[in-house]
Amino acid sequence: MKIEKIELGPVTLRVRDIEQVTRFYVDVIGMSVLEESEEHITLGTKERPLVILHSAPQAKTNPRAAGLFHLAILFPNRVELGSMLAHLIERRIEVGQGDHLVSEAFYLSDPEGNGIELYADRPKDQWTYEANGHVKMATEPVDYESMLQAAANRPFTSLPIGTTMGHVHFKVRSIEAAKRFYHDRLGFSITTDSYPGALFLAADGYHHHIGTNVWARPSDPVGMETGIEAWTLLVNEETNQALGGTSYEWTLTDEDGITVHIKRTNA
């Protein structure tokens, strides 16, 4: 099976201090509070949810566990990403960076250590490919000065309309097990395996919707600790049936304990 016509929905994070983490996603990342209950806060843009925080004050941390490497917020274009970068510089927030050939990205973490990538894609006609059809990706310095210059007249106020959850990247215990779940079971195509200890997969010709790596050598599956609780895969009726879904919303869990909420859309 080859999965098609998908989107990524919100990532659910289990957090100890929901007020502090909410302030970070609102003040630093520029999200809006969309829904709020006793235990959950949903954040995103006015058009779509991106992150759901689940309050778990008693949850422990487990650095040995598999789980989230980063959630990746995709900006509509390079200018909007430059506006975000200027905002982060003004807030004196240090970020990592990477020009991945297909995209330009900046990296930071929320107050509880959940990794975040902020990125913008290059036009697809600028992507290049290996002889085996895999997309060429690398990690090079970002030309951030030209990005800031392009965004000089675009002050940052909030995440722009058109921002989406571009991909999710996981720490896993086994690349082979990750391949069995994300490729064999869910039907994502392998898009590159040229990074040592990593595997990237996607649908619909994208560079990657799913990243997996064993770089941190996790030894435990995801449990009830802080960090990722679930990610969301949005599919149409045809894809839902092909995956084996018999309801509007259902879940699968990989061998590392990472859960995906599969939701059928009306499209």
Side-chain angles (χ1 to χ4, degrees):
M1 174 192 165
K2 182 179 179 180
I3 198 170
E4 295 178 320
K5 299 178 181 178
I6 66 99
E7 294 181 23
L8 299 188
V11 173
T12 302
L13 301 173
R14 190 180 295 112
V15 298
R16 291 170 58 89
D17 189 337
I18 196 168
E19 292 185 2
Q20 180 189 37
V21 179
T22 297
R23 284 196 301 272
F24 172 86
Y25 282 99
V26 171
D27 296 342
V28 176
I29 305 300
M31 294 186 186
S32 300
V33 175
L34 304 180
E35 294 183 18
E36 191 169 358
S37 66
E38 186 174 341
E39 292 188 354
H40 294 86
I41 294 178
T42 300
L43 303 131
T45 66
K46 293 180 179 179
E47 60 179 349
R48 61 170 52 87
L50 296 170
V51 172
I52 300 172
L53 303 179
H54 178 191
S55 179
Q58 305 306 316
K60 307 297 184 182
T61 59
N62 182 4
R64 298 182 304 277
L68 187 70
F69 188 63
H70 59 241
L71 58 88
I73 298 170
L74 175 60
F75 283 68
N77 54 60
R78 190 174 194 263
V79 173
E80 298 287 6
L81 181 61
S83 176
M84 165 60 89
L85 177 61
H87 162 71
L88 295 174
I89 292 171
E90 184 178 351
R91 296 289 301 260
R92 297 185 177 180
I93 294 173
E94 293 188 8
V95 298
Q97 59 163 303
D99 183 332
H100 300 306
L101 307 183
V102 293
S103 63
E104 295 172 289
F106 300 99
Y107 298 90
L108 69 163
S109 296
D110 73 16
E112 297 200 0
N114 296 297
I116 302 167
E117 176 179 345
L118 308 170
Y119 78 110
D121 283 331
R122 284 197 168 90
K124 194 172 182 180
D125 61 9
Q126 295 180 17
W127 302 359
T128 58
Y129 296 85
E130 307 284 357
N132 63 1
H134 288 182
V135 65
K136 285 186 179 179
M137 295 174 62
T139 301
E140 300 177 351
V142 174
D143 180 9
Y144 64 88
E145 292 181 346
S146 69
M147 186 182 292
L148 290 171
Q149 185 176 7
N153 297 320
R154 186 70 64 87
F156 182 83
T157 55
S158 62
L159 287 180
I161 296 298
T163 300
T164 64
M165 186 62 67
H167 65 268
V168 283
H169 192 152
F170 303 122
K171 300 178 290 183
V172 300
R173 295 175 295 171
S174 163
I175 291 296
E176 292 74 19
K179 181 181 177 181
R180 284 195 297 271
F181 185 77
Y182 296 101
H183 176 63
D184 300 346
R185 177 63 183 90
L186 286 182
F188 284 96
S189 299
I190 296 171
T191 53
T192 185
D193 57 4
S194 59
Y195 279 79
L199 182 70
F200 297 89
L201 311 97
D204 305 319
Y206 195 50
H207 52 74
H208 70 293
H209 288 110
I210 306 291
T212 63
N213 75 69
V214 295
W215 300 330
R217 298 184 179 180
S219 56
D220 299 338
V222 174
M224 298 302 292
E225 62 274 319
T226 57
I228 189 167
E229 187 170 289
W231 61 284
T232 308
L233 177 62
L234 305 176
V235 298
N236 61 19
E237 173 63 25
E238 181 181 1
T239 299
N240 193 54
Q241 290 183 5
L243 288 171
T246 58
S247 61
Y248 166 78
E249 181 176 349
W250 52 295
T251 64
L252 288 172
T253 301
D254 72 6
E255 295 181 38
D256 287 297
I258 300 169
T259 294
V260 53
H261 290 316
I262 301 173
K263 292 187 177 183
R264 189 185 72 229
T265 66
N266 295 324

